[in-house]
Amino acid sequence: MTDKKIFGVTALFNEPNAIISAARKVADAGFTKWDVNSPYPIHGIDKAMKMKPSKLGIVTLIFGLSGAVLALILMYWTMSVDYPMIIGGKPYFSLPAFIPVTFEVTVIMATLSTVVAMFAFFFGLPRNSHALHDTDYMKKVSRDHYGIVIEAIDPKFDEMATLQLLKDLKPITTEIIYHPEKENYPIFEPRFIALLVGVAVVVSIGTYLMLNKLVYIVPFDWMEKQAKVIPQSGSEFFADGRGMRLPVKGTVAKGFIPYPFEGETNPKEVLSNPYFPTKENLELGQRKYLTYCSPCHGNYGDGDSRLAGQFPNPPTLHSDRGRNFSDGMIYHIITVGQNVMPSYASQVTRDERWAIVNYIRALQRAKNATDADLKLVKAE
Amino acid sequence: MSTDYSVEAPVVAGRLTIAQIEELVAKPMDTKPDKKFYLALTISGSALLIGAVCLLYTFYYGIGMWGNNQPVGWGFGIVNFVFWVGIGHAGTLISAILFLLRQKWRTGIARFAEAMTIFAVMCAGIFPIIHTGRPWLAGYLTPYPNQHGLWVNFTSPLVWDVFAVSVYFTVSLVFWYTGLIPDFATLRDRTTSKIKKTIYSIFSLGWRHSSRHWLHYEKAYVILAGFATPLVLSVHTIVSFDFAVSIMPGWHTTIFPPYFVAGAIFSGFAMVVTVLVFVRKIFDLQNIITIDHLEKMNKVILATGMMVGYAYSMEFFIAWYSGVQFEQFAFLNRMLGPYAWAYWTMVSCNVIFPQFFWFKKIRRSIPAMIVIVLFVNVGMWFERFVIVVTSLHRDFLPSSWGMFTPTLYDFGILLGSFGLFFTLVILFTKALPVVSIAEVKAVADGAQPTHHRGEHHD
C-alpha cells in the first residue's frame, strides 16, 4: 500500500455534539486544509471550524445590479433610440412601464450568477473524481454520520501524528484515504467523446431541418401562402389585377381642388405661376428636379441622362419649344404627363411642381445667358 | 387531542432516526414500480394524449377550432394559463417565503410543492404560446436583433408576462435543483446499481457534504429564497396586469395584483393538499408529511380564501363607488347575467366551502379536506373563467355583445394539461426524492447539537 499517494486521514462520529467539539479541537490545532462532512448543515459548525462568513452575496449584488442596468439600457436603446415609437402617449423612456422587465432581469441574473458562481468557482464542481468519493467514509457521512477529514497537503500534516490526534478525539473509527490509482471519470474517454459528437450532429441536423424544411411544409407555410397582395406581382383576387381599388371617378381628396385641365393634351388655357423664383423656392425646385426629373432629362435638362439614346429619346428642355412653353404649360405637363412621360401628380405636390417650373426656368436662362446676365453674375 | 400552542409540535413525527428518514424517502426509488403506479400513469397519460391530439388539430386548422370569437377573444387559453400559473405559486411560497419565515414544517412538503410549481408553470407556459395560433413563431416574443429591425414592445404587459413567467420557471428550476444536489449525493452513495450511480453522480455534481460547502450553500439558499419571494409575488401581479392595464370594465381595477396573488396562493395550496394527501398515503410518508402540516396548509387556504372573498366584495363596492356605469353593469351582469351560474359556482367554492376549515375537526380530517380542496380547485378555475369571459362578452357597445361556448377541443386541451401535470407528478414520485432528505434530516430529533449544555429544547 505504500506506493499509493495519501489523500488524508478521516475520523467518523455519530453524534452532533461530538463533531462540534472535535471540530473545535482540530481548528485549535492549527490545521487549514481540513473539513467536516455531514449529511446536512450542522448548526454552529462554522464557529467551531472558525470559518469566515460566506462572501457569496457580493456575486449576487454585482450581477443583480448589472442585470438591472443592462435591462434598462436595452429598453432605453430599443424603445428610444433604435426604433422610437410613441405607445399609449407615454414618453419614449417610460420608466414605470420598464420596471417589471428590469425586476425580472435583475432576479434572473442575480440567482443564476449566484448558483453558478457557488458551484463552479467556490466549490470547483462538478467533480466526481475527488479522492473521497466511493470511500466508506463518504457513504457514512452521506447517511447519518459526521466526519472529519484532514488532508495530506496541510503543512502540519504528518501521517502518524495526525492519525493519533484524530484517535484522541474518540471517534467510532478512523481511516486513511488514498488517491485513486486511476481517474474515475476521464473526460477523454472515447464513448463520452462519441456521445458529445453525436449530440452535436443531431442538434445541427435538427436545427437545419427545422429552419429550412419544416417551416415550408403545411401547415407552417399557410401564413406565407395566404391570399394577399405581393409587391411587383398581379393580384389574383381582382379581375383588373390590381391589389388595391381605385377611387370612384370624380373622387376629390380632402383639402385638394381638382386640377381643372385634367386629361387634356393641349389645353387652350393653363394656370399662371403663383410663386416668385426666390432662393428658397429655387432650392426646393432643384431638390425635386434632381429627384424626379433628372433621371430622364439629365441634371441640367440637356436630355443627356443614362436613358439618352433609347427610343423615345428623353427630350432636352433647352429646345425652342421648351423655352417657349408658358410656366402653366410646363406645370400641366408635370401634372398630367406627355407622350411616355407619366403624371407626377401623385409624387410631387402642387407647390413643389411650381418650384420645379421655376428651377427649369433658371436652367433655361443659364444655358442661354445673355451678356446682361453674365454681367450680373460677374458683378456678384 | 389537546393542543398546547406554546410548544411547537415536532416536525417529524414518530421519532424517526436520521437513517430511517432516508430509507423512507428513498424507498420509491429503490423499488420497482407496482401495478398501481402503471395504472395511474396510464390514466394521466391518456388524458395527456387526448390533449395532444386536440392540440395537433388546433395546430393544423388554427384556433378556429376553439370557442374563441369576437368579442370573447380570450377563451380557455388564457383561463387555463392564469389557473396553472396560480397553482404554481404555492410551491414557491412554501419553499421560499416559509423558509425566510423559519417555518420548519415546510421541510416535509417543500420539495414536492416546488416540483408542482415547475410542472404547473410548464402547463401554464403552453397556453399563451398555443393561443398565439402560430406557436412555432413564439421566438418573436424575445428581444433579439433581427432582420426586420423590430423590437418587442417593452411597455406591453404581454411582454412583461413573457419575462415574468420564463424567469419564474428558470428560478424555480434552479432553486429546486440546488435543493436536490445533496439528495442526489446521498442517493449516489446508497445505491448499488451501476447505472443509477452514474446518473446520480452526474446530477450530484460530485457533492461531498462538506461543511465548507454547506456554509456557502446555506447562504445561497437564503439568497435564492430572498429573490424567489418578490419574484413569486411579481409573477401573478404581472399576470393581473394583462387584465388591469386594459380599459375593459371588470378588468381595469387596481385591486387585481393583490387579489390575483392571494388567489394564486389559495389555489396552489389547494392543489398541493390534493396531491399530498394521496402521496403521503401511497408512499407511507405520514410521519414526514404529518397531519399537522396538512392542517397548517388548510389554515393558509382559509386565510387566503377570505382574502379572495374580500376582493370579490371590494370589486363590487368600487364598481358602485366609482360611479362608472359600465363598471357597475359589468359586475351586476356577473351576478345576474347569462354567466351567473359560473359566478355563483366560483363564490360558493372559493368563499363558502373553505369556511368549514374554521373547525379543527374538519381541518384534520382527510376525507373532508379532500372534498373542500377539490371544490377550491374547481372554484379557482371558475374565477378565471368569470374574469375572462364575463368581462369580454359584454363590453361597452351592446352591438358587439356575444356569447362564448367552449368546443370539445377546448375541453380536450384543458384535460390534456391536467394529464401533463399529473404525468409529470407521477414520474417525479418514482424518479426523485419527493421529500428533501437533507432538510428533513436536519430538523429531526437529535439532529442538531445542543448549544446550551444540559438545556434541551425541542
Side-chain angles (χ1 to χ4, degrees):
Chain A
M1 284 291 184
T2 44
D3 54 327
K4 279 182 163 183
K5 207 168 152 239
I6 191 163
F7 169 78
V9 289
T10 62
L12 278 173
F13 301 84
N14 64 352
E15 216 272 314
N17 286 321
I19 190 74
I20 293 272
S21 56
R24 214 171 269 144
K25 279 176 192 146
V26 175
D28 288 342
F31 287 100
T32 47
K33 299 285 175 196
W34 66 288
D35 207 344
V36 169
N37 300 84
S38 58
Y40 52 85
I42 307 168
H43 294 171
I45 196 74
D46 48 337
K47 286 210 185 77
M49 288 175 73
K50 299 204 168 73
M51 288 192 289
K52 291 194 187 88
S54 171
K55 291 206 170 65
L56 198 55
I58 296 173
V59 178
T60 318
L61 183 72
I62 292 172
F63 279 88
L65 286 179
S66 23
V69 172
L70 281 178
L72 279 175
I73 290 176
L74 173 74
M75 286 186 283
Y76 165 73
W77 185 74
T78 57
M79 303 289 287
S80 318
V81 180
D82 192 46
Y83 204 128
M85 252 200 297
I86 294 178
I87 293 152
K90 296 183 201 94
Y92 291 134
F93 186 80
S94 171
L95 189 61
F98 291 167
I99 283 178
V101 172
T102 309
F103 173 76
E104 303 298 337
V105 177
T106 308
V107 168
I108 192 88
M109 288 278 283
T111 51
L112 288 186
S113 66
T114 306
V115 170
V116 170
M118 176 176 75
F119 284 117
F121 297 103
F122 281 52
F123 299 171
L125 299 179
R127 183 175 175 199
N128 277 309
S129 58
H130 196 274
L132 283 180
H133 285 314
D134 289 321
T135 58
D136 282 340
Y137 172 78
M138 182 47 68
K139 290 201 164 98
K140 282 265 162 54
V141 297
S142 207
R143 192 172 166 86
D144 57 352
H145 283 67
Y146 316 92
I148 285 189
V149 53
I150 302 177
E151 293 180 32
I153 52 169
D154 192 287
K156 292 193 138 195
F157 185 80
D158 174 83
E159 192 177 339
M160 286 301 123
T162 313
L163 197 60
Q164 193 52 50
L165 175 103
L166 287 181
K167 279 189 175 146
D168 291 343
L169 298 171
K170 303 209 170 46
I172 332 171
T173 147
T174 55
E175 191 187 348
I176 300 176
I177 310 258
Y178 296 94
H179 281 289
E181 279 161 338
K182 63 178 183 70
E183 226 183 320
N184 281 339
Y185 299 95
I187 287 183
F188 293 108
E189 195 183 335
R191 274 188 300 178
F192 181 65
I193 302 275
L195 176 78
L196 288 187
V197 172
V199 169
V201 168
V202 168
V203 169
S204 310
I205 294 177
T207 313
Y208 174 80
L209 291 178
M210 284 278 275
L211 294 178
N212 294 296
K213 299 282 175 247
L214 184 75
V215 291
Y216 296 113
I217 60 170
V218 173
F220 304 105
D221 64 343
W222 281 358
M223 200 166 182
E224 196 188 337
K225 297 272 171 68
Q226 66 187 313
K228 63 180 177 186
V229 178
I230 297 164
Q232 309 293 338
S233 58
S235 159
E236 291 166 15
F237 191 73
F238 294 113
D240 63 357
R242 286 174 189 266
M244 293 174 82
R245 302 291 76 207
L246 290 171
V248 180
K249 215 168 175 156
T251 305
V252 177
K254 200 174 170 190
F256 284 89
I257 302 160
Y259 183 59
F261 311 112
E262 186 66 58
E264 292 179 41
T265 42
N266 261 319
K268 297 255 158 30
E269 270 183 288
V270 285
L271 300 175
S272 57
N273 192 344
Y275 291 97
F276 286 114
T278 59
K279 195 162 184 256
E280 291 78 35
N281 192 259
L282 282 175
E283 273 169 7
L284 173 68
Q286 182 186 30
R287 227 170 33 245
K288 295 295 160 185
Y289 178 87
L290 289 175
T291 308
Y292 294 105
C293 313
S294 71
C296 296
H297 293 293
N299 285 353
Y300 299 104
D302 293 315
D304 59 350
S305 70
R306 61 196 193 122
L307 291 180
Q310 307 236 347
F311 183 82
N313 208 21
T316 168
L317 303 179
H318 303 299
S319 61
D320 286 343
R321 182 166 172 263
R323 274 208 291 275
N324 291 336
F325 278 146
S326 66
D327 282 3
M329 191 59 200
I330 299 178
Y331 179 89
H332 176 78
I333 293 169
I334 301 174
T335 309
V336 304
Q338 190 184 53
N339 302 329
V340 292
M341 173 173 161
S343 157
Y344 279 81
S346 60
Q347 291 107 306
V348 192
T349 66
R350 281 185 292 183
D351 296 348
E352 288 166 355
R353 270 175 257 159
W354 285 119
I356 290 173
V357 170
N358 282 335
Y359 183 68
I360 289 173
R361 285 289 179 228
L363 284 178
Q364 286 172 340
R365 192 164 165 191
K367 284 268 168 182
N368 283 283
T370 58
D371 289 348
D373 291 335
L374 285 173
K375 269 180 202 158
L376 265 173
V377 173
K378 276 176 188 158
E380 266 181 20
Chain B
M1 154 181 178
S2 72
T3 314
D4 177 5
Y5 283 104
S6 62
V7 178
E8 214 179 312
V11 177
V12 181
R15 297 246 154 215
L16 296 175
T17 66
I18 290 169
Q20 279 172 323
I21 291 172
E22 182 179 316
E23 292 303 322
L24 212 54
V25 178
K27 201 176 140 208
M29 275 152 289
D30 293 345
T31 52
K32 281 229 155 71
D34 55 2
K35 262 190 187 153
K36 275 188 286 182
F37 176 81
Y38 286 115
L39 184 71
L41 200 60
T42 312
I43 295 170
S44 70
S46 310
L48 176 62
L49 261 179
I50 292 172
V53 169
C54 292
L55 256 187
L56 277 180
Y57 269 95
T58 309
F59 286 169
Y60 196 81
Y61 293 105
I63 46 175
M65 302 298 282
W66 299 356
N68 298 19
N69 57 26
Q70 284 296 350
V72 188
W74 280 6
F76 270 29
I78 301 303
V79 174
N80 297 343
F81 163 66
V82 183
F83 173 74
W84 281 115
V85 174
I87 296 292
H89 277 51
T92 321
L93 187 100
I94 290 167
S95 64
I97 299 183
L98 296 186
F99 176 78
L100 294 181
L101 295 175
R102 299 276 180 269
Q103 296 293 312
K104 281 188 192 156
W105 60 273
R106 69 174 270 289
T107 51
I109 54 171
R111 167 71 47 74
F112 206 94
E114 282 169 44
M116 286 177 60
T117 295
I118 290 163
F119 303 149
V121 176
M122 283 162 82
C123 292
I126 291 171
F127 284 101
I129 291 175
I130 62 173
H131 193 256
T132 60
R134 294 180 203 281
W136 49 92
L137 299 178
Y140 288 156
L141 290 165
T142 51
Y144 68 102
N146 56 51
Q147 259 181 321
H148 317 292
L150 289 171
W151 297 98
V152 295
N153 175 9
F154 285 109
T155 58
S156 160
L158 303 181
V159 168
W160 304 344
D161 233 11
V162 174
F163 276 83
V165 175
S166 54
V167 168
Y168 183 46
F169 179 72
T170 315
V171 172
S172 302
L173 194 65
V174 167
F175 199 28
W176 190 55
Y177 180 62
T178 305
L180 269 166
I181 284 175
D183 286 3
F184 275 127
T186 297
L187 293 170
R188 169 198 70 200
D189 289 331
R190 58 172 279 122
T191 186
T192 48
S193 145
K194 202 165 180 300
I195 300 169
K196 278 187 186 172
K197 188 174 161 59
T198 309
I199 296 171
Y200 291 142
S201 292
I202 291 170
F203 282 105
S204 71
L205 304 178
W207 178 261
R208 298 192 297 274
H209 299 287
S210 153
S211 284
R212 294 186 190 276
H213 292 179
W214 280 125
L215 176 79
H216 296 299
Y217 180 88
E218 285 197 289
K219 180 82 176 177
Y221 216 74
V222 174
I223 290 173
L224 286 182
F227 275 106
T229 301
L231 179 65
V232 69
L233 300 181
S234 87
V235 171
H236 230 53
T237 300
I238 289 174
V239 169
S240 81
F241 283 163
D242 290 345
F243 302 94
V245 172
S246 78
I247 54 163
M248 182 64 60
W251 287 3
H252 189 54
T253 54
T254 48
I255 200 177
F256 260 32
Y259 159 36
F260 267 53
V261 171
I265 294 165
F266 181 53
S267 67
F269 267 72
M271 190 60 104
V272 171
V273 171
T274 314
V275 178
L276 278 187
V277 161
F278 294 102
V279 166
R280 70 192 283 274
K281 181 83 194 150
I282 292 168
F283 295 107
D284 225 11
L285 294 171
Q286 284 101 326
N287 282 328
I288 293 176
I289 305 168
T290 64
I291 196 84
D292 290 325
H293 299 168
L294 294 174
E295 189 193 349
K296 280 178 173 138
M297 285 199 275
N298 289 340
K299 284 181 185 167
V300 174
I301 291 175
L302 176 61
T304 47
M306 291 204 301
M307 288 183 210
V308 169
Y310 170 78
Y312 295 158
S313 51
M314 197 44 64
E315 277 189 320
F316 271 90
F317 171 74
I318 293 293
W320 166 76
Y321 186 67
S322 67
V324 178
Q325 192 189 348
F326 299 106
E327 199 75 21
Q328 291 170 351
F329 172 75
F331 283 95
L332 280 179
N333 181 56
R334 272 187 194 177
M335 227 192 310
L336 308 166
Y339 287 108
W341 55 272
Y343 179 82
W344 291 112
T345 311
M346 161 187 110
V347 169
S348 47
C349 288
N350 292 351
V351 186
I352 298 169
F353 283 107
Q355 300 305 320
F356 286 110
F357 279 149
W358 282 110
F359 303 102
K360 187 166 181 180
K361 269 226 170 82
I362 293 177
R363 279 204 304 273
R364 296 180 75 93
S365 145
I366 300 275
M369 83 174 89
I370 290 176
V371 172
I372 293 173
V373 294
L374 282 179
F375 272 125
V376 171
N377 284 325
V378 171
M380 284 309 290
W381 189 87
F382 269 100
E383 181 196 295
R384 279 63 181 251
F385 179 86
V386 165
I387 290 172
V388 171
V389 174
T390 62
S391 298
L392 282 172
H393 87 299
R394 295 277 183 273
D395 66 356
F396 297 100
L397 287 175
S399 61
S400 62
W401 287 1
M403 288 296 285
F404 171 78
T405 316
T407 63
L408 265 183
Y409 295 88
D410 280 317
F411 287 112
I413 293 169
L414 174 60
L415 182 69
S417 70
F418 277 95
L420 175 63
F421 181 77
F422 284 108
T423 305
L424 291 170
V425 167
I426 290 166
L427 292 176
F428 163 69
T429 56
K430 212 60 189 155
L432 295 170
V434 292
V435 172
S436 172
I437 302 174
E439 278 190 43
V440 174
K441 278 180 183 174
V443 295
D445 279 341
Q448 295 297 349
T450 45
H451 286 298
H452 321 287
R453 285 178 193 260
E455 205 184 311
H456 280 271
H457 55 96
D458 46 0

